[in-house]
C-alpha cells in the first residue's frame, strides 16, 4: 500500500516535469518554424537536447535497476532506487532562469502542439504500464521498471515533440490553408489596393520600414509588423488588420526553400516587387547562390503583366536577373549611374546619420538627410524611393518621408545610456554585407576606443568559416578591443585577427553574453564606442 502511494506520487512528479520540459522543446521547434527536418538537425547538434548530465543519470539509474532486479530484491534497495529516481528526475530540470532572446509565443498552433506532445507522453505512460504489468505482475518488479521507462520517456522528450508535430501536421496544414485562402480571397477582392512585395537576402525588413514611412506622405499604408514574412504570419495580418481604409499593403517576404516566395506572392498578389539583395544567407537550406536567385526571382515572375519590378542594380546577382526581366522595371544603386533610374551622389555618412543628393534618370534631384547610419542604408532608402516614384510621389514628398525615417531596432541604431559610452546595437541577424557596413559606421567615430562584441555570423553554409575569417580581418583594421562570444564558434574570427597581426592581448573570448558584458565593464571608458554585432538565436549554442 505504501509502495503504491509512493509510485503514484512519483507518476505525478513525472507529469509535472514533462509539463515543464515540453515548453522548452516547444520553444525550440517554434524557432525552427515547426519544421521537423530543421528541428531534427538542432537535436543532433544541441547539447541542450541531450545534456551530458542526463546521460550520466541514465547510466546510474540503469546500473541501480539491474542490481535490484538481478541480485537483491529487498524493500530497502527498492526505496533507495525510487528515491534516486526522484532525485535524478528533478535534477533534469534546469532551474537557472535565462531570458530568451525570442520568447515562446503560445499561439493557437503552439497550444495545439503542446497539448499533443503531453498526450503523446501520457499515452506512452499508459502503454508502458500495461505491458510491464502483464509481464511482471509483482509490484516490486513492475514499479521500478515502469519508473525506469518514464525516465527514458523524459530523456527522449525532444523526440516526442517531433512525433507530436508529425501527428498534428496534417491538421495544421488544413488550418493554415483555410486562413491562407481566406486572406488570398480578401486581397483579390480589394480592387483599389496596391500591394508591394519586398524580398532579398539582406535588408528587406529595413526596406519595408523605409517604404512604409515614405509612402505615408501620400497614402494610407499597412505593413507586415516586425519580421512577419511567412505565409501564415502575413495571412494573419491580412485577415485581422487589412481593411478598405488602406490604399497600400507592404508585405515582407522571407524564404528558406525554393518555392517559398512564390507561395507568398500568390497570397498577396503584389503589383510592385522589390529585391534588395542576393547573397550568402540561409545557405544551409538553399545550398547555393543559384537557388537563392531562383527563389527571390519568384516574386518578379508572379507580378502581373503591368507590374513593376525594382532591383538593386549594384548587386552582381540582381544585375543578371534585372537584365533578363522584360516587365517594367526600376533600377537603383550608386554605381554605373548612367544605367540607373534612381541613384544617390555626394553621400556623407557620420555617427549622426547620412546625407546625399537623390537623383533620377530624368535629371531631377534633391538633397536628403536621414537618421539612419551607414552606406548600406542609403541602398535601402533608394529602394524605398523607387517604390515611391512608381506610386507617383514627388521628390519633395519623398524627401520629407526620408527625413522622418526612424532607426529600426537592433539594426545599427545608437543607444546613449548616459554613461559617456556610446552603444551601437546591430544584433539582428548579421551577414557579410551587414558586418562590413557596421564596421564602416564604427570607423566614422573619431573619438574614443572602438570595441566590438560578437559571436560571428551563422546560416552561411560552407561559406560561414571563410566569411567569419574575413570578418576578423576587417575588424582588425577598425577595433581597439574584440570580445568574441563562444570559443568554438568564433575560431575563424580569431584566425582572421591573428593573420592580420592583431594584438592578442586585446582579444577576449567568453562563453556567453553575460560574461562579455562583465569583461566589457573592466575595459570600457567614457567616449568609447561599443558595437554589439549579432546575437545568436536561442536555438544556436556554442
Amino acid at each position: 500500500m505504501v509502495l503504491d502511494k509512493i509510485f503514484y506520487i512519483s507518476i505525478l512528479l513525472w507529469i509535472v516535469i514533462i509539463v515543464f520540459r515540453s515548453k522548452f522543446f516547444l520553444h525550440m521547434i517554434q524557432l525552427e518554424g515547426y519544421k521537423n527536418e530543421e528541428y531534427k538537425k538542432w537535436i543532433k547538434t544541441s547539447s541542450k537536447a541531450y545534456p551530458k548530465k542526463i546521460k550520466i543519470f541514465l547510466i546510474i539509474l540503469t546500473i541501480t535497476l539491474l542490481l535490484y532486479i538481478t541480485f537483491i530484491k529487498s524493500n530497502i534497495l527498492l526505496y533507495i532506487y525510487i528515491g534516486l529516481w526522484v532525485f535524478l528526475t528533478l535534477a533534469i530540470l534546469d532551474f537557472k532562469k535565462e531570458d530568451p532572446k525570442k520568447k515562446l509565443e503560445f499561439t493557437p498552433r503552439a497550444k495545439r502542439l503542446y497539448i499533443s506532445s503531453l498526450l503523446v507522453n501520457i499515452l506512452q505512460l499508459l502503454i508502458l504500464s500495461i505491458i510491464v504489468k502483464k509481464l511482471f505482475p509483482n509490484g516490486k518488479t513492475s514499479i521500478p521498471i515502469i519508473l525506469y521507462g518514464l525516465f527514458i520517456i523524459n530523456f527522449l522528450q525532444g523526440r516526442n515533440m517531433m512525433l507530436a508535430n508529425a501527428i498534428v501536421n496534417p491538421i495544421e496544414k488544413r488550418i493554415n490553408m483555410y486562413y491562407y485562402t481566406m486572406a488570398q480571397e480578401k486581397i483579390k477582392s480589394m480592387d483599389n489596393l496596391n500591394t508591394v512585395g519586398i524580398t532579398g537576402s539582406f535588408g528587406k525588413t529595413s526596406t519595408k520600414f523605409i517604404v512604409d514611412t515614405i509612402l505615408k506622405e501620400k497614402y494610407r499604408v499597412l505593413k507586415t509588423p516586425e519580421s512577419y514574412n511567412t505565409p501564415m504570419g502575413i495571412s494573419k495580418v491580412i485577415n485581422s488588420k487589412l481593411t478598405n481604409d488602406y490604399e497600400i499593403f507592404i508585405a515582407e517576404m522571407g524564404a528558406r526553400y525554393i518555392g517559398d516566395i512564390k507561395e507568398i506572392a500568390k497570397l498577396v498578389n503584389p503589383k510592385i516587387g522589390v529585391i534588395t539583395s542576393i547573397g550568402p544567407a540561409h545557405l544551409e537550406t538553399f545550398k547555393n547562390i543559384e537557388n537563392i536567385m531562383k527563389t527571390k526571382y519568384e516574386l518578379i515572375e508572379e507580378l502581373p503583366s503591368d507590374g513593376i519590378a525594382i532591383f538593386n542594380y549594384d548587386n552582381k546577382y540582381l544585375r543578371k536577373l534585372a537584365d533578363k526581366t522584360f516587365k517594367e522595371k526600376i533600377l537603383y544603386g550608386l554605381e554605373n549611374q548612367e544605367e540607373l533610374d534612381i541613384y544617390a551622389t555626394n553621400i556623407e555618412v557620420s555617427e549622426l546619420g547620412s546625407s546625399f543628393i537623390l537623383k533620377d534618370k530624368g535629371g531631377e534631384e534633391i538633397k536628403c538627410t536621414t537618421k539612419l547610419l551607414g552606406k548600406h542604408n542609403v541602398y535601402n532608402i533608394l529602394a524605398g524611393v523607387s517604390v515611391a516614384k512608381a506610386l507617383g510621389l514627388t521628390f519633395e514628398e519623398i524627401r520629407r518621408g526620408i527625413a522622418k525615417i526612424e532607426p529600426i531596432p537592433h539594426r545599427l541604431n545608437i543607444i546613449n545610456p548616459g554613461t559617456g559610452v556610446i552603444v551601437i546595437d546591430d544584433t539582428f541577424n548579421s551577414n557579410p554585407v551587414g558586418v562590413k557596413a557596421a564596421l564602416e559606421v564604427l570607423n566614422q567615430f573619431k573619438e574614443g576606443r572602438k570595441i566590438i562584441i560578437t559571436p560571428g555570423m551563422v546560416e552561411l553554409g560552407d561559406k560561414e568559416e571563410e566569411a567569419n575569417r574575413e570578418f576578423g580581418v576587417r575588424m582588425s583594421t577598425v577595433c581597439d578591443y574584440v570580445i568574441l562570444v563562444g570559443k568554438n564558434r568564433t575560431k575563424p574570427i580569431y584566425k582572421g585577427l591573428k593573420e592580420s597581426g592583431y594584438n592578442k592581448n586585446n582579444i577576449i573570448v567568453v562563453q556567453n553574453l553575460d560574461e562579455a558584458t562583465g569583461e566589457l565593464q573592466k575595459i570600457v571608458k567614457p567616449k568609447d564606442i561599443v558595437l554589439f554585432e549579432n546575437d545568436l538565436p536561442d536555438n544556436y549554442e556554442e
Side-chain angles (χ1 to χ4, degrees):
M1 201 72 177
V2 175
L3 187 60
D4 287 342
K5 286 181 180 178
I6 294 173
F7 175 66
Y8 290 126
I9 291 170
S10 299
I11 294 290
L12 186 61
L13 172 65
W14 175 79
I15 291 171
V16 171
I17 300 291
I18 289 294
V19 165
F20 278 97
R21 285 199 81 213
S22 292
K23 283 185 181 179
F24 169 72
F25 290 106
L26 177 67
H27 187 199
M28 293 301 107
I29 202 167
Q30 186 178 77
L31 291 174
E32 297 293 353
Y34 300 103
K35 290 182 171 64
N36 268 358
E37 284 304 311
E38 298 302 308
Y39 176 71
K40 189 176 180 181
K41 289 176 188 174
W42 171 80
I43 283 182
K44 285 182 177 179
T45 58
S46 173
S47 63
K48 292 180 181 178
Y50 296 103
K52 189 176 181 180
K53 67 177 182 180
I54 197 173
K55 294 176 182 177
I56 294 169
F57 293 167
L58 185 59
I59 293 169
I60 293 169
L61 203 64
T62 303
I63 292 170
T64 309
L65 178 65
L66 289 174
L67 281 172
Y68 170 75
I69 292 174
T70 309
F71 299 108
I72 319 165
K73 291 185 180 179
S74 69
N75 288 339
I76 294 173
L77 191 57
L78 177 59
Y79 290 133
I80 290 172
Y81 172 83
I82 293 172
L84 182 65
W85 180 90
V86 170
F87 173 77
L88 296 181
T89 301
L90 279 171
I92 289 173
L93 278 184
D94 190 353
F95 291 101
K96 290 180 187 174
K97 289 232 173 178
E98 287 184 20
D99 288 330
K101 299 169 182 88
K102 186 177 180 182
K103 292 183 179 180
L104 169 64
E105 293 183 35
F106 261 106
T107 61
R109 178 172 187 171
K111 289 175 184 176
R112 288 190 293 269
L113 179 54
Y114 184 57
I115 291 169
S116 299
S117 72
L118 295 180
L119 290 175
V120 165
N121 284 283
I122 297 297
L123 182 62
Q124 288 175 342
L125 164 62
L126 293 174
I127 292 171
L128 174 68
S129 299
I130 292 168
I131 293 173
V132 174
K133 286 285 186 183
K134 281 195 173 184
L135 293 176
F136 306 98
N138 187 339
K140 288 179 67 176
T141 305
S142 64
I143 286 174
I145 293 175
I146 290 171
L147 290 179
Y148 181 79
L150 294 185
F151 196 91
I152 296 290
I153 294 172
N154 201 346
F155 179 75
L156 297 173
Q157 184 59 25
R159 297 278 179 179
N160 277 350
M161 185 60 68
M162 193 159 61
L163 174 61
N165 193 42
I167 292 169
V168 301
N169 195 46
I171 299 168
E172 294 302 332
K173 282 185 177 179
R174 287 190 179 186
I175 293 170
N176 290 349
M177 184 53 65
Y178 171 77
Y179 288 112
Y180 178 95
T181 305
M182 182 192 296
Q184 189 180 50
E185 290 175 355
K186 186 176 182 179
I187 283 271
K188 286 179 179 177
S189 70
M190 302 174 82
D191 296 330
N192 296 321
L193 182 75
N194 276 311
T195 299
V196 179
I198 301 173
T199 192
S201 298
F202 327 118
K204 53 185 176 291
T205 303
S206 297
T207 300
K208 174 181 66 178
F209 279 92
I210 290 166
V211 171
D212 173 64
T213 304
I214 296 174
L215 292 186
K216 279 178 177 172
E217 290 299 305
K218 185 173 181 178
Y219 295 106
R220 295 185 298 278
V221 185
L222 176 68
K223 69 178 184 304
T224 52
E226 299 169 353
S227 294
Y228 273 57
N229 56 21
T230 64
M232 286 307 98
I234 297 169
S235 294
K236 182 179 178 181
V237 175
I238 295 169
N239 289 326
S240 62
K241 294 186 178 180
L242 186 60
T243 66
N244 288 318
D245 293 332
Y246 293 106
E247 299 167 288
I248 307 289
F249 178 56
I250 305 169
E252 177 186 341
M253 301 177 171
R256 293 175 70 91
Y257 298 92
I258 292 173
D260 283 356
I261 298 296
K262 184 177 182 179
E263 184 181 4
I264 299 173
K266 286 188 177 297
L267 167 65
V268 302
N269 194 27
K271 295 179 176 66
I272 297 173
V274 183
I275 309 182
T276 60
S277 59
I278 285 178
H282 300 307
L283 277 174
E284 289 181 349
T285 52
F286 279 121
K287 306 304 180 187
N288 56 56
I289 289 288
E290 287 70 27
N291 285 339
I292 296 174
M293 291 174 67
K294 182 179 180 181
T295 304
K296 300 304 180 186
Y297 197 68
E298 289 168 1
L299 171 57
I300 308 306
E301 290 174 328
E302 291 300 318
L303 293 175
S305 57
D306 60 345
I308 300 173
I310 297 174
F311 298 96
N312 174 0
Y313 205 62
D314 285 358
N315 183 283
K316 63 180 181 180
Y317 303 112
L318 282 177
R319 200 176 303 127
K320 292 179 182 178
L321 297 180
D323 288 344
K324 76 172 189 178
T325 301
F326 294 100
K327 292 173 182 175
E328 183 179 350
K329 57 192 172 186
I330 298 175
L331 309 178
Y332 70 88
L334 302 176
E335 305 162 9
N336 303 315
Q337 294 170 0
E338 66 281 355
E339 298 179 17
L340 303 175
D341 299 293
I342 300 291
Y343 57 96
T345 62
N346 300 86
I347 299 171
E348 294 180 12
V349 179
S350 72
E351 66 267 27
L352 300 175
S354 311
S355 66
F356 54 90
I357 305 296
L358 176 64
K359 297 184 177 183
D360 70 7
K361 203 168 190 175
E364 191 175 359
E365 63 179 63
I366 194 168
K367 184 169 184 179
C368 300
T369 58
T370 177
K371 299 172 190 173
L372 300 186
L373 300 170
K375 186 178 175 182
H376 73 297
N377 268 321
V378 176
Y379 279 105
N380 296 335
I381 290 171
L382 291 176
V385 171
S386 300
V387 175
K389 286 294 286 182
L391 290 168
L393 272 74
T394 66
F395 259 27
E396 177 55 32
E397 289 171 326
I398 290 169
R399 183 197 65 78
R400 291 202 306 265
I402 290 172
K404 293 176 183 177
I405 298 167
E406 292 293 330
I408 294 98
H410 312 303
R411 292 168 176 85
L412 273 182
N413 56 313
I414 290 180
I415 301 167
N416 192 338
T419 59
V421 177
I422 295 172
V423 175
I424 303 175
D425 179 0
D426 194 39
T427 54
F428 185 87
N429 194 21
S430 285
N431 56 71
V433 174
V435 297
K436 181 182 176 184
L439 290 173
E440 286 175 356
V441 168
L442 185 62
N443 205 32
Q444 294 294 326
F445 289 82
K446 304 306 176 189
E447 286 189 84
R449 299 170 305 167
K450 301 169 183 67
I451 304 169
I452 186 170
I453 299 176
T454 183
M457 297 174 281
V458 297
E459 294 188 330
L460 300 180
D462 294 338
K463 297 188 177 182
E464 185 171 299
E465 185 173 340
E466 178 58 21
N468 277 308
R469 188 197 67 79
E470 289 178 7
F471 184 20
V473 172
R474 286 185 184 277
M475 68 173 69
S476 71
T477 64
V478 176
C479 303
D480 297 291
Y481 282 92
V482 174
I483 300 178
L484 301 177
V485 183
K487 184 177 180 181
N488 293 323
R489 188 172 287 282
T490 59
K491 280 180 180 177
I493 299 176
Y494 193 95
K495 183 180 178 182
L497 289 164
K498 188 178 175 183
E499 287 175 0
S500 304
Y502 193 77
N503 185 352
K504 290 183 182 179
N505 295 326
N506 290 4
I507 306 173
I508 302 167
V509 182
V510 296
Q511 284 298 110
N512 53 53
L513 195 57
D514 287 339
E515 281 186 36
T517 306
E519 292 297 327
L520 176 65
Q521 297 303 321
K522 297 176 185 178
I523 60 174
V524 74
K525 296 177 181 178
K527 295 188 178 180
D528 285 351
I529 305 95
V530 182
L531 169 64
F532 284 86
E533 182 60 35
N534 203 13
D535 188 11
L536 297 182
D538 297 283
N539 50 333
Y540 276 87
E541 59 187 276
E542 173 63 358

